[in-house]
Amino acid sequence: GDRVLFVAASGAVYALKAASGEVLWRRYVGHESQLHPMPLTVAGSDDVLAVDGRRHELLRLGARTNKLIWRLSLNEPLLGCKIFTDSILAVTKSGKLFLVDVEDGASRKQVILPQALSALPGLDEKRGRLYVASEHSNLFVLSSNSLSCDEVYYLGHKPGAVMAPPATMLGLVFVTEVLNSKISRMHVLAMENTGLGLRPAQNSFRLQGHVVTPPLVMGRRLLVTTNLGAVYLFEIDKSA
């Protein structure tokens, strides 16, 4: 009953008691910040990750106290973050990726991709791979441990056409590409056991609307929703 919820509204982050809705604290982070705070549940932590959009900073805050644990200046607008077991992947809109230590906020590994980004990377945890759709044309395959770029796959998409993170499951990568105002296309790529060697697994197919939220992996199923309200549930059969 003592859970804390985090909400971003009117340029500020609010921490609320889940049971009563009582406001524990409020921190102004600027109207520029469109990113929601993320609970840091790793290693029993009771902290939260927030973004200061004015200063382009990543903040680790005490969930109940608003105490600043650490701050990391990224010096440019953030696209978003992914939380791993002991690190945070921070991704900027210009195409920089930072691996940030959860404990001290230090960024010991960075990579600068040659293009801007409009979608967060997809992660294949089992193979330690990140699949990053660049602003146009290419899908970069990076090591999630070292951020080394180990492969570039030519997808051929137009600028800004990939708006949702790629999804990975059962040795496949799914990337959705906007074709026009009402239609998207789903690319299905197969990989080797290393997560490299990308190649088409089947012909791409069309979806009604734009995929703007991350596809949801549920066992052998992939749930995809679009901005036009279309819902697709795909069952993956690798034996077919």
Side-chain angles (χ1 to χ4, degrees), residues 14 22 27 33 49 59 89 96-97 99 101-102 128 134 139 144 157 187 191 205 223 227 237 240:
Y14 293 84
E22 177 192 340
R27 178 183 284 256
S33 185
L49 187 71
L59 311 172
L89 180 71
K96 291 182 185 171
L97 282 74
L99 265 185
D101 189 281
V102 168
S134 60
L139 182 67
S144 61
H157 57 286
H187 297 269
M191 61 172 85
F205 51 88
L223 181 69
N227 65 336
D237 182 3

Side-chain angles (χ1 to χ4, degrees), residues 158 161 163 177-185 206-211 227-228:
K158 291 189 167 60
M163 303 165 72
E177 171 197 4
V178 171
L179 294 181
N180 58 42
S181 62
K182 293 182 179 173
I183 301 286
S184 294
R185 172 165 57 195
R206 295 191 167 199
L207 309 172
Q208 295 293 320
H210 297 171
V211 180
N227 65 336
L228 294 182

Side-chain angles (χ1 to χ4, degrees), residues 35-229:
L35 299 170
H36 285 278
M38 302 167 73
L40 280 170
T41 52
V42 290
S45 159
D46 197 18
D47 296 337
V48 63
L49 187 71
V51 175
D52 188 320
R54 300 164 302 165
R55 301 192 176 101
H56 307 311
E57 290 177 339
L58 209 53
L59 311 172
R60 177 173 174 171
L61 307 169
R64 287 173 167 74
T65 62
N66 192 19
K67 178 189 173 188
L68 180 67
I69 312 297
W70 52 253
R71 80 168 77 228
L72 174 66
S73 182
L74 300 173
N75 300 313
E76 58 181 277
L78 199 68
L79 180 65
C81 296
K82 292 179 91 74
I83 297 174
F84 301 157
T85 306
D86 53 6
S87 61
I88 298 157
L89 180 71
V91 183
T92 71
K93 293 179 180 179
S94 76
K96 291 182 185 171
L97 282 74
F98 300 81
L99 265 185
V100 182
D101 189 281
V102 168
E103 291 305 316
D104 61 12
S107 175
R108 298 185 177 91
K109 291 186 178 120
Q110 304 93 26
V111 67
I112 302 174
L113 296 177
Q115 289 179 25
L117 303 176
S118 47
L120 283 175
L123 169 67
D124 188 318
E125 228 166 337
K126 180 181 166 189
R127 295 171 178 83
R129 297 288 177 196
L130 293 167
Y131 296 89
V132 191
S134 60
E135 179 69 9
H136 65 83
S137 307
N138 296 317
L139 182 67
F140 294 97
V141 188
L142 275 57
S143 160
S144 61
N145 298 316
S146 67
L147 296 186
S148 63
C149 182
D150 298 326
E151 184 170 302
V152 182
Y153 178 83
Y154 180 74
L155 198 69
H157 57 286
K158 291 189 167 60
V162 177
M163 303 165 72
T168 66
M169 60 184 292
L170 302 173
L172 298 170
V173 185
F174 299 84
V175 189
T176 52
E177 171 197 4
V178 171
L179 294 181
N180 58 42
S181 62
K182 293 182 179 173
I183 301 286
S184 294
R185 172 165 57 195
M186 174 77 84
H187 297 269
V188 186
L189 308 174
M191 61 172 85
E192 306 293 342
N193 281 335
T194 57
L196 301 174
L198 293 185
R199 61 200 182 277
Q202 63 178 68
N203 292 335
S204 62
F205 51 88
R206 295 191 167 199
L207 309 172
Q208 295 293 320
H210 297 171
V211 180
V212 291
T213 56
L216 191 60
V217 175
M218 304 178 299
R220 305 187 68 84
R221 292 176 173 173
L222 185 71
L223 181 69
V224 179
T225 59
T226 77
N227 65 336
L228 294 182

